[in-house]
Short mmCIF file of all heavy atoms in Angstrom, two decimals:
data_model
loop_
_atom_site.label_atom_id
_atom_site.label_comp_id
_atom_site.label_asym_id
_atom_site.label_seq_id
_atom_site.Cartn_x
_atom_site.Cartn_y
_atom_site.Cartn_z
N GLN E 1 2.40 -13.82 10.81
CA GLN E 1 3.43 -14.16 11.78
C GLN E 1 4.36 -15.18 11.14
O GLN E 1 3.98 -16.28 10.79
CB GLN E 1 2.85 -14.76 13.05
CG GLN E 1 3.91 -15.04 14.11
CD GLN E 1 3.32 -15.52 15.43
OE1 GLN E 1 2.14 -15.74 15.52
NE2 GLN E 1 4.15 -15.63 16.37
N GLU E 2 5.58 -14.73 10.91
CA GLU E 2 6.62 -15.57 10.24
C GLU E 2 7.06 -16.66 11.24
O GLU E 2 6.77 -16.57 12.41
CB GLU E 2 7.85 -14.72 9.87
CG GLU E 2 7.53 -13.49 9.10
CD GLU E 2 7.49 -13.76 7.58
OE1 GLU E 2 8.04 -14.74 7.15
OE2 GLU E 2 6.93 -12.91 6.89
N LYS E 3 7.75 -17.65 10.71
CA LYS E 3 8.19 -18.76 11.57
C LYS E 3 9.19 -18.25 12.62
O LYS E 3 9.35 -18.85 13.70
CB LYS E 3 8.81 -19.90 10.75
CG LYS E 3 10.03 -19.56 9.98
CD LYS E 3 10.50 -20.70 9.21
CE LYS E 3 11.74 -20.32 8.34
NZ LYS E 3 12.20 -21.37 7.48
N THR E 4 9.85 -17.09 12.37
CA THR E 4 10.80 -16.51 13.33
C THR E 4 10.01 -15.82 14.47
O THR E 4 10.65 -15.39 15.43
CB THR E 4 11.67 -15.47 12.62
OG1 THR E 4 10.82 -14.41 12.10
CG2 THR E 4 12.46 -16.10 11.51
N GLY E 5 8.71 -15.64 14.29
CA GLY E 5 7.94 -14.93 15.30
C GLY E 5 7.66 -13.49 14.93
O GLY E 5 6.80 -12.89 15.59
N GLN E 6 8.36 -13.02 13.96
CA GLN E 6 8.14 -11.59 13.50
C GLN E 6 6.73 -11.43 12.94
O GLN E 6 6.31 -12.29 12.16
CB GLN E 6 9.17 -11.21 12.46
CG GLN E 6 8.99 -9.81 11.99
CD GLN E 6 9.99 -9.38 10.90
OE1 GLN E 6 10.95 -10.09 10.61
NE2 GLN E 6 9.78 -8.20 10.31
N VAL E 7 6.05 -10.39 13.28
CA VAL E 7 4.71 -10.15 12.82
C VAL E 7 4.74 -8.91 11.93
O VAL E 7 5.31 -7.93 12.27
CB VAL E 7 3.75 -9.90 14.00
CG1 VAL E 7 2.31 -9.56 13.52
CG2 VAL E 7 3.72 -11.10 14.90
N THR E 8 4.07 -9.03 10.74
CA THR E 8 4.04 -7.92 9.82
C THR E 8 2.52 -7.59 9.51
O THR E 8 1.71 -8.58 9.46
CB THR E 8 4.76 -8.19 8.50
OG1 THR E 8 4.27 -9.38 7.92
CG2 THR E 8 6.26 -8.33 8.72
N TYR E 9 2.23 -6.37 9.34
CA TYR E 9 0.90 -5.87 9.05
C TYR E 9 0.98 -5.22 7.73
O TYR E 9 1.89 -4.49 7.40
CB TYR E 9 0.40 -4.89 10.09
CG TYR E 9 0.34 -5.49 11.47
CD1 TYR E 9 1.45 -5.61 12.28
CD2 TYR E 9 -0.86 -5.98 11.93
CE1 TYR E 9 1.35 -6.17 13.53
CE2 TYR E 9 -0.99 -6.53 13.21
CZ TYR E 9 0.18 -6.65 14.02
OH TYR E 9 0.10 -7.19 15.27
N GLY E 10 -0.04 -5.41 6.86
CA GLY E 10 0.00 -4.79 5.57
C GLY E 10 -1.35 -4.63 4.89
O GLY E 10 -2.34 -5.28 5.30
N ALA E 11 -1.36 -3.77 3.89
CA ALA E 11 -2.59 -3.56 3.11
C ALA E 11 -2.15 -3.68 1.64
O ALA E 11 -1.12 -3.22 1.22
CB ALA E 11 -3.11 -2.13 3.32
N ILE E 12 -2.92 -4.43 0.90
CA ILE E 12 -2.67 -4.72 -0.50
C ILE E 12 -3.87 -4.21 -1.34
O ILE E 12 -5.02 -4.50 -1.00
CB ILE E 12 -2.47 -6.25 -0.76
CG1 ILE E 12 -1.33 -6.78 0.12
CG2 ILE E 12 -2.20 -6.53 -2.21
CD1 ILE E 12 -1.28 -8.27 0.18
N PHE E 13 -3.61 -3.46 -2.40
CA PHE E 13 -4.61 -2.97 -3.23
C PHE E 13 -4.30 -3.43 -4.65
O PHE E 13 -3.17 -3.25 -5.14
CB PHE E 13 -4.67 -1.42 -3.16
CG PHE E 13 -4.91 -0.95 -1.83
CD1 PHE E 13 -3.87 -0.69 -0.90
CD2 PHE E 13 -6.22 -0.75 -1.35
CE1 PHE E 13 -4.12 -0.28 0.42
CE2 PHE E 13 -6.47 -0.26 -0.06
CZ PHE E 13 -5.44 -0.10 0.80
N MET E 14 -5.30 -4.06 -5.32
CA MET E 14 -5.05 -4.65 -6.64
C MET E 14 -6.05 -4.18 -7.62
O MET E 14 -7.27 -4.00 -7.25
CB MET E 14 -5.11 -6.18 -6.53
CG MET E 14 -4.63 -6.80 -7.80
SD MET E 14 -5.19 -8.48 -7.95
CE MET E 14 -6.82 -8.17 -8.58
N THR E 15 -5.56 -3.85 -8.85
CA THR E 15 -6.48 -3.43 -9.89
C THR E 15 -6.20 -4.30 -11.12
O THR E 15 -5.13 -4.77 -11.33
CB THR E 15 -6.26 -1.94 -10.26
OG1 THR E 15 -4.96 -1.77 -10.73
CG2 THR E 15 -6.58 -1.03 -9.07
N VAL E 16 -7.24 -4.39 -11.97
CA VAL E 16 -7.13 -5.04 -13.28
C VAL E 16 -7.60 -4.00 -14.26
O VAL E 16 -8.72 -3.46 -14.14
CB VAL E 16 -8.02 -6.32 -13.35
CG1 VAL E 16 -7.89 -6.91 -14.71
CG2 VAL E 16 -7.66 -7.28 -12.26
N ALA E 17 -6.79 -3.74 -15.26
CA ALA E 17 -7.21 -2.79 -16.33
C ALA E 17 -6.53 -3.13 -17.66
O ALA E 17 -5.73 -4.12 -17.71
CB ALA E 17 -6.72 -1.38 -15.90
N ARG E 18 -6.84 -2.42 -18.67
CA ARG E 18 -6.28 -2.72 -20.00
C ARG E 18 -4.87 -2.12 -20.14
O ARG E 18 -4.20 -2.51 -21.10
CB ARG E 18 -7.23 -2.16 -21.07
CG ARG E 18 -8.54 -2.91 -21.17
CD ARG E 18 -9.16 -2.71 -22.54
NE ARG E 18 -10.40 -3.38 -22.65
CZ ARG E 18 -10.50 -4.71 -22.96
NH1 ARG E 18 -9.49 -5.40 -23.19
NH2 ARG E 18 -11.71 -5.24 -23.01
N GLU E 19 -4.55 -1.22 -19.29
CA GLU E 19 -3.22 -0.61 -19.37
C GLU E 19 -2.69 -0.26 -17.99
O GLU E 19 -3.48 -0.31 -16.98
CB GLU E 19 -3.22 0.67 -20.21
CG GLU E 19 -4.17 1.72 -19.70
CD GLU E 19 -4.34 2.86 -20.67
OE1 GLU E 19 -4.39 2.66 -21.89
OE2 GLU E 19 -4.43 4.01 -20.20
N TRP E 20 -1.40 0.01 -17.86
CA TRP E 20 -0.80 0.29 -16.55
C TRP E 20 -1.45 1.59 -15.95
O TRP E 20 -1.52 2.59 -16.72
CB TRP E 20 0.69 0.46 -16.72
CG TRP E 20 1.38 -0.78 -17.14
CD1 TRP E 20 1.80 -1.13 -18.43
CD2 TRP E 20 1.80 -1.87 -16.30
NE1 TRP E 20 2.37 -2.35 -18.41
CE2 TRP E 20 2.45 -2.81 -17.14
CE3 TRP E 20 1.71 -2.11 -14.93
CZ2 TRP E 20 2.94 -3.97 -16.57
CZ3 TRP E 20 2.21 -3.31 -14.41
CH2 TRP E 20 2.81 -4.20 -15.26
N ARG E 21 -1.80 1.55 -14.73
CA ARG E 21 -2.24 2.75 -14.01
C ARG E 21 -1.23 3.25 -13.05
O ARG E 21 -1.09 4.51 -12.85
CB ARG E 21 -3.54 2.43 -13.24
CG ARG E 21 -4.75 2.31 -14.10
CD ARG E 21 -5.95 1.87 -13.36
NE ARG E 21 -6.44 2.90 -12.38
CZ ARG E 21 -7.43 2.64 -11.53
NH1 ARG E 21 -8.09 1.50 -11.56
NH2 ARG E 21 -7.80 3.56 -10.69
N TYR E 22 -0.52 2.38 -12.35
CA TYR E 22 0.34 2.77 -11.24
C TYR E 22 1.82 2.45 -11.47
O TYR E 22 2.57 2.50 -10.51
CB TYR E 22 -0.18 2.18 -9.94
CG TYR E 22 -1.60 2.53 -9.69
CD1 TYR E 22 -2.64 1.64 -9.58
CD2 TYR E 22 -1.89 3.90 -9.58
CE1 TYR E 22 -3.93 1.99 -9.32
CE2 TYR E 22 -3.21 4.27 -9.30
CZ TYR E 22 -4.21 3.30 -9.18
OH TYR E 22 -5.53 3.67 -8.96
N LEU E 23 2.22 2.04 -12.61
CA LEU E 23 3.61 1.60 -12.87
C LEU E 23 4.59 2.71 -12.52
O LEU E 23 5.56 2.47 -11.84
CB LEU E 23 3.75 1.22 -14.36
CG LEU E 23 5.17 0.73 -14.79
CD1 LEU E 23 5.56 -0.53 -13.99
CD2 LEU E 23 5.24 0.49 -16.23
N ASN E 24 4.35 3.94 -12.99
CA ASN E 24 5.26 5.03 -12.75
C ASN E 24 4.87 5.96 -11.60
O ASN E 24 5.65 6.83 -11.18
CB ASN E 24 5.38 5.87 -14.05
CG ASN E 24 6.02 5.06 -15.13
OD1 ASN E 24 7.03 4.39 -14.93
ND2 ASN E 24 5.47 5.10 -16.30
N CYS E 25 3.66 5.76 -11.03
CA CYS E 25 3.19 6.61 -9.96
C CYS E 25 2.40 5.74 -9.03
O CYS E 25 1.25 5.41 -9.36
CB CYS E 25 2.42 7.78 -10.47
SG CYS E 25 1.77 8.84 -9.10
N HIS E 26 3.01 5.27 -7.91
CA HIS E 26 2.23 4.48 -6.95
C HIS E 26 2.48 5.00 -5.49
O HIS E 26 2.51 4.23 -4.55
CB HIS E 26 2.60 2.99 -7.10
CG HIS E 26 4.06 2.70 -7.10
ND1 HIS E 26 4.74 2.65 -8.27
CD2 HIS E 26 4.94 2.53 -6.12
CE1 HIS E 26 6.04 2.40 -8.03
NE2 HIS E 26 6.16 2.35 -6.73
N SER E 27 2.54 6.33 -5.43
CA SER E 27 2.60 6.92 -4.09
C SER E 27 1.32 6.61 -3.40
O SER E 27 0.30 6.38 -4.02
CB SER E 27 2.80 8.46 -4.17
OG SER E 27 1.76 9.05 -4.98
N PHE E 28 1.39 6.57 -2.06
CA PHE E 28 0.19 6.17 -1.27
C PHE E 28 0.02 7.09 -0.10
O PHE E 28 0.99 7.39 0.61
CB PHE E 28 0.39 4.70 -0.78
CG PHE E 28 -0.93 4.09 -0.37
CD1 PHE E 28 -1.60 3.20 -1.24
CD2 PHE E 28 -1.46 4.38 0.84
CE1 PHE E 28 -2.76 2.63 -0.84
CE2 PHE E 28 -2.65 3.78 1.24
CZ PHE E 28 -3.30 2.93 0.35
N ASP E 29 -1.19 7.56 0.05
CA ASP E 29 -1.51 8.47 1.17
C ASP E 29 -2.74 8.00 1.88
O ASP E 29 -3.70 7.49 1.23
CB ASP E 29 -1.72 9.91 0.68
CG ASP E 29 -0.46 10.45 0.04
OD1 ASP E 29 0.55 10.60 0.73
OD2 ASP E 29 -0.51 10.75 -1.21
N TRP E 30 -2.78 8.17 3.19
CA TRP E 30 -3.96 7.86 4.06
C TRP E 30 -4.51 9.08 4.65
O TRP E 30 -3.79 9.93 5.08
CB TRP E 30 -3.59 6.91 5.23
CG TRP E 30 -3.11 5.55 4.91
CD1 TRP E 30 -1.76 5.14 4.85
CD2 TRP E 30 -3.88 4.39 4.64
NE1 TRP E 30 -1.74 3.78 4.59
CE2 TRP E 30 -2.98 3.32 4.47
CE3 TRP E 30 -5.21 4.12 4.56
CZ2 TRP E 30 -3.38 2.02 4.20
CZ3 TRP E 30 -5.66 2.86 4.26
CH2 TRP E 30 -4.76 1.80 4.11
N LEU E 31 -5.86 9.17 4.79
CA LEU E 31 -6.57 10.06 5.66
C LEU E 31 -7.44 9.23 6.58
O LEU E 31 -8.38 8.57 6.12
CB LEU E 31 -7.44 11.00 4.86
CG LEU E 31 -6.80 12.30 4.32
CD1 LEU E 31 -7.90 13.12 3.56
CD2 LEU E 31 -6.17 13.15 5.40
N VAL E 32 -7.15 9.24 7.85
CA VAL E 32 -7.87 8.43 8.85
C VAL E 32 -8.68 9.45 9.75
O VAL E 32 -8.03 10.24 10.46
CB VAL E 32 -6.94 7.54 9.66
CG1 VAL E 32 -7.73 6.75 10.67
CG2 VAL E 32 -6.08 6.66 8.73
N ASP E 33 -9.94 9.40 9.63
CA ASP E 33 -10.80 10.35 10.32
C ASP E 33 -10.35 11.83 10.09
O ASP E 33 -10.32 12.61 11.00
CB ASP E 33 -10.87 10.01 11.84
CG ASP E 33 -11.65 8.75 12.14
OD1 ASP E 33 -12.63 8.43 11.36
OD2 ASP E 33 -11.32 8.06 13.11
N GLY E 34 -10.00 12.09 8.86
CA GLY E 34 -9.65 13.42 8.40
C GLY E 34 -8.21 13.82 8.69
O GLY E 34 -7.81 14.88 8.33
N GLU E 35 -7.42 12.91 9.37
CA GLU E 35 -6.03 13.22 9.66
C GLU E 35 -5.10 12.37 8.87
O GLU E 35 -5.32 11.14 8.74
CB GLU E 35 -5.76 12.97 11.20
CG GLU E 35 -6.59 13.81 12.10
CD GLU E 35 -6.17 15.27 12.01
OE1 GLU E 35 -4.95 15.57 11.87
OE2 GLU E 35 -7.12 16.14 12.10
N PRO E 36 -4.03 12.98 8.32
CA PRO E 36 -3.02 12.17 7.54
C PRO E 36 -2.42 11.11 8.45
O PRO E 36 -2.11 11.37 9.60
CB PRO E 36 -2.00 13.19 7.11
CG PRO E 36 -2.69 14.48 7.20
CD PRO E 36 -3.68 14.38 8.33
N MET E 37 -2.20 9.93 7.88
CA MET E 37 -1.44 8.83 8.60
C MET E 37 -0.22 8.55 7.73
O MET E 37 -0.30 8.17 6.58
CB MET E 37 -2.31 7.58 8.73
CG MET E 37 -1.58 6.50 9.48
SD MET E 37 -2.65 5.00 9.82
CE MET E 37 -2.57 4.20 8.22
N LYS E 38 0.93 8.84 8.30
CA LYS E 38 2.22 8.68 7.59
C LYS E 38 2.56 7.24 7.45
O LYS E 38 2.60 6.53 8.47
CB LYS E 38 3.27 9.50 8.32
CG LYS E 38 4.60 9.47 7.60
CD LYS E 38 5.64 10.34 8.33
CE LYS E 38 6.99 10.18 7.80
NZ LYS E 38 7.38 11.07 6.79
N PRO E 39 2.89 6.77 6.23
CA PRO E 39 3.29 5.36 6.06
C PRO E 39 4.63 5.11 6.74
O PRO E 39 5.52 5.96 6.90
CB PRO E 39 3.47 5.22 4.51
CG PRO E 39 3.14 6.55 3.89
CD PRO E 39 2.91 7.54 4.99
N ILE E 40 4.82 3.84 7.14
CA ILE E 40 6.03 3.43 7.77
C ILE E 40 7.15 3.14 6.70
O ILE E 40 8.29 3.06 7.05
CB ILE E 40 5.89 2.25 8.73
CG1 ILE E 40 5.41 1.01 7.99
CG2 ILE E 40 4.97 2.59 9.86
CD1 ILE E 40 5.47 -0.26 8.84
N GLU E 41 6.72 2.94 5.47
CA GLU E 41 7.64 2.72 4.36
C GLU E 41 6.96 3.16 3.06
O GLU E 41 5.73 3.22 3.04
CB GLU E 41 8.04 1.22 4.31
CG GLU E 41 6.84 0.33 4.11
CD GLU E 41 7.19 -1.15 4.29
OE1 GLU E 41 8.18 -1.49 4.90
OE2 GLU E 41 6.44 -1.92 3.71
N PRO E 42 7.72 3.37 2.05
CA PRO E 42 7.15 3.74 0.75
C PRO E 42 6.32 2.56 0.19
O PRO E 42 6.63 1.44 0.47
CB PRO E 42 8.34 4.01 -0.18
CG PRO E 42 9.46 4.26 0.77
CD PRO E 42 9.21 3.45 1.98
N ALA E 43 5.30 2.87 -0.52
CA ALA E 43 4.47 1.82 -1.15
C ALA E 43 5.33 1.01 -2.17
O ALA E 43 6.18 1.63 -2.82
CB ALA E 43 3.30 2.44 -1.88
#
């Protein structure tokens, strides 16, 4: 909840590796109980 009162919800996924995994491809898809959940914005 920002000082303006605006509330944001988010999910953050972090990896550590020897080389880039998601630099050029970081599309994100959800399946919730077998049904696709469309993102509200691109990852």
Side-chain angles (χ1 to χ4, degrees):
Q1 182 175 8
E2 308 273 340
K3 63 182 177 183
T4 62
Q6 179 181 352
V7 177
T8 57
Y9 298 82
I12 302 167
F13 301 88
M14 191 199 81
T15 62
V16 179
R18 293 202 180 275
E19 59 188 38
W20 295 97
R21 286 174 65 183
Y22 302 119
L23 180 63
N24 295 315
C25 179
H26 49 268
S27 59
F28 198 100
D29 299 296
W30 294 100
L31 272 180
V32 180
D33 289 330
E35 297 293 323
M37 182 173 80
K38 186 177 168 92
I40 61 169
E41 60 188 24

